[in-house]
Amino acid sequence: MDDRCCAPPETALDLRPVEGPDADEELAALTKALGHPARVQILRLLTHRVSCVCGEIVDQLPLAQSTVSQHLKVLKDAGLVRGEIDGPRICYCLEPRTLRRLRALIGGL
Amino acid sequence: MDDRCCAPPETALDLRPVEGPDADEELAALTKALGHPARVQILRLLTHRVSCVCGEIVDQLPLAQSTVSQHLKVLKDAGLVRGEIDGPRICYCLEPRTLRRLRALIGGL
DNA sequence: GCCATTCATCGCCATGTCACGATAGCTGAT
DNA sequence: ATCAGCTATCGTGACATGGCGATGAATGGC
């Protein structure tokens, strides 16, 4: 249950600035991706189960499979989540690097 | 220029939980409010000028006055910003309490 | 090869967001 | 009282988002 299926720990730190036009755009994109209750819940699920979850997410949310898939796409496009193929199913897990980056950007406010 | 026009320092700390359904909704609402480049820029302006800014915000952004006013409304409804009437103009300033809350919620991920 | 499972994608519809100009409400000065 | 300046709100149009069911593509097992 808690075997990880995707992540290399990825501990390199991010040296990009937390201010300026690029940072503003980046922060806006990340918060926009997070700006929906279902997506927050998905991220929360992924933080709680140490390892990656696949379509169990669908079972945990009161939404259709296609809707959940769209939300996952938003999170993936924002870089907050990564999906890797694991046999017939797909294994999603957090991208801690991006989460750290988000914290840094918000901290810069 | 750096005379404050609204804020009582407001240092009471927020004891509400950073997880659970309510926290999810709250985080989604706050990040949604932040999820637009113009609104990030507005917040950034308000952090940089120590005091509150009023319609100078309009001058700093490449947007019409009505558009900026709408963005300010979004930020105000989310509690990230406060506006107080100051003579003929309106003085906006950050709500550091809400910003701290946002940091706490993101930290809870 | 064939089927069942899993997930992504497509259309579709309803609703929300973003931008604008125009208008209305307040306030302080004349 | 009137006028000028500042801001909020309204109405509108273009576009994005969120939700769903249906369809498609890939995989593992039979």
Side-chain angles (χ1 to χ4, degrees):
Chain A
M1 190 64 72
D2 49 24
D3 50 334
R4 52 173 54 259
C5 70
C6 5
E10 218 13 309
T11 51
L13 42 96
D14 196 332
L15 297 174
R16 284 174 297 166
V18 295
E19 298 197 13
D22 289 1
D24 287 356
E25 289 283 343
E26 196 187 356
L27 177 52
L30 287 175
T31 50
K32 182 177 183 180
L34 214 58
H36 192 285
R39 292 197 284 270
V40 173
Q41 286 178 40
I42 291 174
L43 242 63
R44 195 87 76 183
L45 282 175
L46 291 177
T47 58
H48 278 34
R49 332 188 109 242
V50 174
S51 96
C52 327
V53 197
C54 39
E56 316 175 28
I57 300 174
V58 176
D59 301 332
Q60 301 287 330
L61 298 184
L63 293 172
Q65 177 265 325
S66 58
T67 305
V68 172
S69 193
Q70 282 195 148
H71 285 305
L72 282 168
K73 179 172 168 48
V74 173
L75 291 172
K76 195 165 53 174
D77 289 348
L80 285 163
V81 140
R82 189 172 11 162
E84 292 186 0
I85 298 173
D86 170 29
R89 61 194 110 239
I90 296 193
C91 168
Y92 283 99
C93 52
L94 284 186
E95 189 73 80
R97 197 162 148 15
T98 310
L99 212 51
R100 280 200 304 273
R101 176 65 179 159
L102 174 58
R103 276 192 279 264
L105 286 168
I106 298 236
L109 283 180
Chain B
M1 191 62 74
D2 48 25
D3 50 332
R4 52 173 54 259
C5 69
C6 5
E10 218 13 308
T11 52
L13 42 97
D14 196 332
L15 296 175
R16 284 174 297 167
V18 295
E19 298 198 14
D22 289 1
D24 287 356
E25 289 284 344
E26 196 187 357
L27 177 52
L30 288 175
T31 51
K32 182 176 182 180
L34 215 57
H36 192 285
R39 291 195 286 267
V40 173
Q41 287 179 39
I42 290 175
L43 242 61
R44 195 86 76 184
L45 283 176
L46 292 177
T47 58
H48 280 33
R49 334 189 106 242
V50 174
S51 94
C52 325
V53 198
C54 41
E56 315 176 29
I57 301 174
V58 176
D59 301 332
Q60 300 287 330
L61 298 184
L63 294 173
Q65 177 265 327
S66 57
T67 306
V68 172
S69 193
Q70 280 197 147
H71 285 305
L72 282 168
K73 179 173 168 49
V74 173
L75 290 172
K76 196 164 51 173
D77 289 349
L80 285 164
V81 139
R82 190 173 8 161
E84 292 186 1
I85 299 173
D86 171 29
R89 61 196 109 238
I90 295 194
C91 166
Y92 283 98
C93 53
L94 285 186
E95 188 75 81
R97 198 162 146 20
T98 310
L99 211 52
R100 280 201 305 274
R101 176 66 177 158
L102 174 58
R103 275 193 278 265
L105 286 168
I106 297 246
L109 282 179

